[in-house]
Amino acid sequence: QVQLVESGGGLVQAGGSLRLSCAASGSIFKLNTMGWYRQAPGKQRELVARITSGGSTNYADSVKGRFTISRDNTKNTVYLQMNSLKPEDTAVYYCNAETIVMKPIDQALRYLEVWGQGTLVTVSS
């Protein structure tokens, strides 16, 4: 019932910047914590940054000081501003959202974790 669509990935040079966006749509009752994860070739998927509905943030040590996560609750969108990009930032970046949806039949609330399709970020040296 909920979809996440990432955008903003691409090819950038080391030291450059990129801004990722993730828009949530569908039968959303409430968006709770949203986050960005990434998976590099041959590596496990790892947390990049998370942001709660209240705006509290958490970052991986590898991106602290360089990346900034933010959200616009009126647009159901989370952003990841990536500055001072390094080749090791190269990965597929996935948006994640912890959501509350309402079933249309009985109007019951249900927790649902949703993932986006991913957007590729490539940083050249």
Side-chain angles (χ1 to χ4, degrees), residues 25-38:
S25 62
S27 302
I28 303 171
F29 181 80
K30 186 178 185 297
L31 278 173
N32 294 325
T33 299
M34 302 183 73
W36 289 95
Y37 295 73
R38 68 186 182 187

Side-chain angles (χ1 to χ4, degrees), residues 12-80:
V12 297
Q13 191 173 344
S17 298
L18 208 60
R19 190 185 192 219
L20 306 183
S21 299
C22 172
S25 62
S27 302
I28 303 171
F29 181 80
K30 186 178 185 297
L31 278 173
N32 294 325
T33 299
M34 302 183 73
W36 289 95
Y37 295 73
R38 68 186 182 187
Q39 187 166 20
K43 303 292 184 179
Q44 297 292 312
R45 186 174 299 188
E46 64 175 350
L47 171 69
V48 178
R50 299 174 70 201
I51 183 168
T52 68
S53 60
S56 180
T57 60
N58 177 257
Y59 297 91
D61 289 339
S62 59
V63 306
K64 284 183 179 178
R66 300 188 297 120
F67 291 9
T68 302
I69 189 171
S70 62
R71 64 191 291 166
D72 185 340
N73 292 330
T74 66
K75 299 179 179 179
N76 289 341
T77 300
V78 63
Y79 306 93
L80 185 67

Side-chain angles (χ1 to χ4, degrees), residues 94-116:
Y94 297 91
C95 180
N96 173 271
E98 299 173 3
T99 72
I100 303 294
V101 300
M102 186 175 68
K103 297 180 180 179
I105 301 300
D106 56 7
Q107 296 183 328
L109 300 180
R110 177 170 63 93
Y111 167 83
L112 182 66
E113 187 175 6
V114 185
W115 290 90

